[in-house]
Amino acid sequence: MALPVPDLDDRRFQDLVDDAKRLVQQRCPQWTDHNVSDPGVTLIETFAYMVDQLLYRLNRVPDRLYVKFLELIGTTLFPPTAATAQVTFWLSAAQDDDVRVPAGTEVCTLRTEDDESVNFETVRDLTIPPRSLRHVATQPDGGEVHGRPEALVGEGEFACFTAHPVPGDALLLGLSDAAPNCAIALRFDCSVQGVGVDPLFPPLVWEAWTGTAWSRCDLDRDETGGLNRAGDVIVHVPGTHAASLIDGQRAGWLRCRVVAAEAGFPFYGASPTVHKLSAFTIGATVPATHAETVTDEIIGISEGVPGQSFALARAPVVAGDAQFAVEVAAGHGWDAWTETSSFARCGPDDHVLRIDRTSGTITFGPAVREPDGAFTHYGAVPPKAAPIRVRSYRTGGGSAGNVSARAINVLRTSIPFVDRVENRRPATGGIAGETIEQAKVRGPLLLRTRDRAITPGDYEYLAREAAPDVARVHCVPAGDGADAGGLRLLVVPAAAADETGRVRFEDLVPSDDVLERITRYLDERRAVGARLLVEPPFYQGVTVVTQLTALARARVEDVRAAALAALYRYLDPLTGGMDGNGWTFGRAVRSGEVYSVLQRLPGIEVVDDVRLFAADPLTGQRGDAVQRIPLDRHALAFSFEHQVRVSAGV
């Protein structure tokens, strides 16, 4: 409990008026009319009102002193973080040469009468390479690969899968080369032979070979209805796609694999047949951030004295960027000065600086006077009259960048042959800058850690300092045996769900940049000899298969959609669990709790059956039906392809 803070003066307006009237009685006994209608009493109340305002400001002095104390221990406000979106650039048509989208290309949301546009910039160069189809093959489940060269020229027809398709049958397509992060259009000339399936929900998945395993592709559009009619299939190839040898042919391999049909949907009665196939690149995806890059900014001229401060033209500086660097003119070139967390460990020749990213203030090392009168320099001093510049920094960020899917649709920078842009998923990671009230809460934690990682709580706190855009951080013992005594820091990044509430497994794996940033930050602060491994947690896929009975007045489709959304929300590393704050590490999944989640949904009369299946999110393989799935203490539950069957109520 916080210590009570006394008021320096606890008198209020009425107390001041009453005190003044008592003084009037003592000093001026002739004044007998103390009613509010008396002009003298009006003056007393006026002065009492003004003094009451002064007392209010006086009582704020402890708050100011508290903030000043936070400054003394080195507390600064956290700057905002910038939201990141995966933006797809679509070509107007297939091209014969590379199409280049330079880093810093500006895209934004649509500006309306009520809302300003939200601007994004691409973070790296994007090359959209031309790709074509070179090889076609089929492979039955567990069987040999059979080449189908006739599909490239349209000579005859062939069955994509076995005569009676089974899960695991695959159609293999070899591109001229790997196409990481590209949108590939596959043009099919098919016959209506794959009867029995729902064309809107065919039991097919598209995958790309990464050199070591098959990785799931996002399906953008399927005009063939499950390879049952002529049309285009557009897939988004993951960034790990690599060219490899399959059946003696080197290519960038994709495949269409048959999977088990979801509950309530039909399966293939016969294999689809293909007459001709072709492929071409129609777009590519690149990360973009809600920030603006400022380059080559001259921030001032050095006066040649210690402790100089300079202000950037644009603030705040986005958190999470690479190490901040400033250049100082020296002779015929520029010397680089790098950011440090503290001047205490710096010597007089170290080219270091500190930056307050919230205010955009850059400070060079100070000089401290010693008892003998000499000065100790904590950091070098830029030469007098030397220009100082910042080569590059990013400004902006905040929660406004967390825009919804397909909200980014305006191309502000013209790119030849690019027709349109869109973000297929919501932007995530945008966090507003820290407020003074939030810093007051964080101050005692900072004083406790003293910038040193000793306890698990210290590791978690400092990891959030290094990467404020991550969603969850959990520190646990590394294990037994050879791992005894070490620590594992489990990092869960922020990820946005799609319209159905699903979170992609790939989005729950933190980037190498985030892991490296946390590792580097903690390496400077952990105890000597402490062994630390920063990694994502183990995600245990869970598939729920349930049978529901809807109320008589409820629509079956609405009940099914609500049940799926509830399951994906409940078994979620970020929003799951009974409290909605994310699934608890190591907590087992129980069918009884799933019953309670489903039973309280509107429109459901009874939950007839619930079965749990442990699933591998990478391979899609499922175990046997159980009533309880135990989790390792380092694991989180993850929703994987739930199946809901709803019967209409009577």
Side-chain angles (χ1 to χ4, degrees):
M1 184 179 68
L3 296 175
V5 180
D7 290 339
L8 299 182
D9 194 326
D10 60 359
R11 292 179 296 175
R12 297 297 180 260
F13 169 79
Q14 193 58 48
D15 299 327
L16 296 170
V17 172
D18 294 342
D19 288 348
K21 288 182 178 180
R22 283 192 290 268
L23 287 175
V24 168
Q25 292 175 352
Q26 296 175 8
R27 303 292 176 87
C28 301
Q30 302 86 352
W31 185 357
T32 58
D33 186 3
H34 298 159
N35 295 316
V36 294
S37 58
D38 186 82
V41 174
T42 301
L43 290 175
I44 288 176
E45 292 181 341
T46 302
F47 283 107
Y49 171 78
M50 297 175 65
V51 172
D52 184 49
Q53 300 300 310
L54 292 175
L55 293 181
Y56 173 81
R57 295 174 60 184
L58 178 64
N59 287 328
R60 301 280 73 76
V61 169
D63 288 340
R64 176 178 173 82
L65 295 179
Y66 187 85
V67 173
K68 289 299 181 183
F69 173 75
L70 294 180
E71 290 183 0
L72 287 176
I73 63 175
T75 303
T76 57
L77 297 180
F78 284 151
T81 60
T84 302
Q86 297 293 326
V87 178
T88 301
F89 290 78
W90 294 98
L91 300 178
S92 56
Q95 303 298 317
D96 296 329
D97 299 314
D98 290 348
V99 176
R100 301 189 182 278
V101 179
T105 298
E106 296 183 359
V107 294
C108 65
T109 61
L110 185 65
R111 180 179 179 180
T112 65
E113 294 181 356
D114 300 324
D115 300 316
E116 292 291 332
S117 62
V118 182
N119 299 329
F120 287 75
E121 283 188 359
T122 57
V123 300
R124 56 178 174 81
D125 294 335
L126 172 67
T127 299
I128 308 177
R131 294 291 182 261
S132 59
L133 188 63
R134 295 290 179 85
H135 307 286
V136 180
T138 58
Q139 184 179 24
D141 180 34
E144 298 294 329
V145 176
H146 301 284
R148 303 292 184 180
E150 65 272 17
L152 299 175
V153 293
E155 295 179 352
E157 294 183 340
F158 69 94
C160 298
F161 314 119
T162 54
H164 297 283
V166 296
D169 290 350
L171 172 65
L172 303 176
L173 308 177
L175 303 179
S176 54
D177 204 345
N181 298 313
C182 289
I184 301 296
L186 304 169
R187 183 153 293 171
F188 284 84
D189 183 1
C190 303
S191 300
V192 181
Q193 296 290 338
V195 295
V197 298
D198 186 336
L200 298 179
F201 301 97
L204 301 173
V205 295
W206 286 90
E207 297 169 321
W209 181 252
T210 64
T212 57
W214 291 99
S215 180
R216 188 82 170 259
C217 297
D218 288 341
L219 179 63
D220 188 271
R221 185 169 72 247
D222 183 1
E223 299 175 349
T224 68
L227 309 184
N228 266 328
R229 58 177 178 264
D232 291 348
V233 175
I234 298 179
V235 295
H236 294 273
V237 182
T240 53
H241 190 214
S244 300
L245 285 173
I246 293 182
D247 192 33
Q249 303 293 337
R250 180 175 178 82
W253 288 96
L254 307 175
R255 78 174 180 181
C256 179
R257 181 169 58 90
V258 179
V259 294
E262 293 190 18
F265 291 95
F267 192 69
Y268 280 110
S271 174
T273 61
V274 174
H275 175 64
K276 187 177 180 180
L277 265 169
S278 61
F280 55 90
T281 307
I282 196 62
T285 302
V286 66
T289 61
H290 174 225
E292 181 181 350
T293 302
V294 181
T295 58
D296 295 332
E297 179 183 314
I298 300 295
I299 59 176
I301 304 297
S302 173
E303 297 177 355
V305 297
Q308 299 176 87
S309 293
F310 300 90
L312 298 172
R314 306 285 298 276
V317 178
V318 171
D321 280 354
Q323 189 178 43
F324 191 85
V326 170
E327 295 180 337
V328 178
H332 298 289
W334 296 84
D335 288 340
W337 296 57
T338 57
E339 182 182 5
T340 183
S341 59
S342 173
F343 289 124
R345 299 184 293 271
C346 301
D349 298 325
D350 294 331
H351 289 187
V352 292
L353 58 91
R354 294 198 65 189
I355 176 173
D356 185 339
R357 294 175 180 260
T358 300
S359 64
T361 302
I362 295 172
T363 304
F364 290 91
V368 177
R369 184 170 181 174
E370 303 294 345
D372 59 0
F375 284 90
T376 300
H377 290 264
Y378 293 89
V381 178
K384 186 175 182 179
I388 302 173
R389 75 176 183 185
V390 180
R391 176 58 63 87
S392 175
Y393 67 93
R394 294 193 303 156
T395 181
S399 57
N402 297 326
V403 299
S404 60
R406 293 179 174 80
I408 304 174
N409 50 23
V410 178
L411 182 62
R412 298 187 64 183
T413 305
S414 179
I415 305 294
F417 308 112
V418 173
D419 178 55
R420 58 188 177 91
V421 296
E422 68 172 352
N423 60 313
R424 296 178 290 111
R425 290 187 177 82
T428 59
I431 302 175
E434 188 179 34
T435 65
I436 289 292
E437 295 304 319
Q438 293 169 337
K440 289 179 181 178
V441 176
R442 183 170 58 89
L445 299 177
L446 177 64
L447 191 62
R448 183 178 68 86
T449 62
R450 299 296 296 170
D451 208 31
R452 289 292 181 270
I454 305 297
T455 67
D458 296 341
Y459 280 95
E460 294 173 2
Y461 174 80
L462 293 173
R464 288 190 176 277
E465 275 197 346
D469 50 338
V470 301
R472 299 180 67 183
V473 180
H474 186 54
C475 186
V476 295
D480 302 324
D483 295 330
L487 293 173
R488 294 176 64 188
L489 192 69
L490 309 178
V491 179
V492 182
D498 60 15
E499 295 83 355
T500 63
R502 305 186 185 192
V503 176
R504 290 198 317 163
F505 177 74
E506 295 82 357
D507 294 339
L508 292 174
V509 180
S511 65
D512 294 338
D513 175 67
V514 170
L515 297 178
E516 181 183 355
R517 193 194 322 158
I518 295 175
T519 302
R520 185 172 59 249
Y521 192 80
L522 291 177
D523 279 346
E524 299 175 356
R525 293 159 175 81
R526 61 182 172 86
V528 175
R531 291 179 287 117
L532 175 66
L533 178 62
V534 182
E535 62 182 1
F538 174 78
Y539 294 105
Q540 175 59 65
V542 178
T543 298
V544 176
V545 178
T546 180
Q547 173 71 45
L548 311 175
T549 299
L551 293 172
R553 65 178 183 275
R555 295 181 67 247
V556 170
E557 295 79 6
D558 295 342
V559 172
R560 182 177 184 274
L564 283 173
L567 290 174
Y568 281 110
R569 184 171 56 251
Y570 176 66
L571 294 169
D572 187 281
L574 301 178
T575 62
M578 301 305 292
D579 57 2
N581 294 324
W583 194 264
T584 304
F585 281 89
R587 191 175 191 274
V589 182
R590 299 171 175 85
S591 60
E593 295 176 351
V594 178
Y595 270 101
S596 65
V597 170
L598 295 173
Q599 190 63 65
R600 60 173 176 253
L601 294 176
I604 295 180
E605 181 177 0
V606 64
V607 180
D608 299 299
D609 186 30
V610 169
R611 298 182 183 182
L612 304 179
F613 296 85
D616 187 337
L618 295 177
T619 64
Q621 295 180 348
R622 298 187 181 120
D624 298 328
V626 294
Q627 295 298 309
R628 180 180 181 273
I629 298 178
L631 266 66
D632 184 80
R633 61 179 176 176
H634 303 158
L636 290 173
F638 170 74
S639 291
F640 183 78
E641 302 297 337
H642 301 308
Q643 299 181 17
V644 176
R645 179 176 295 176
V646 182
S647 301
V650 180

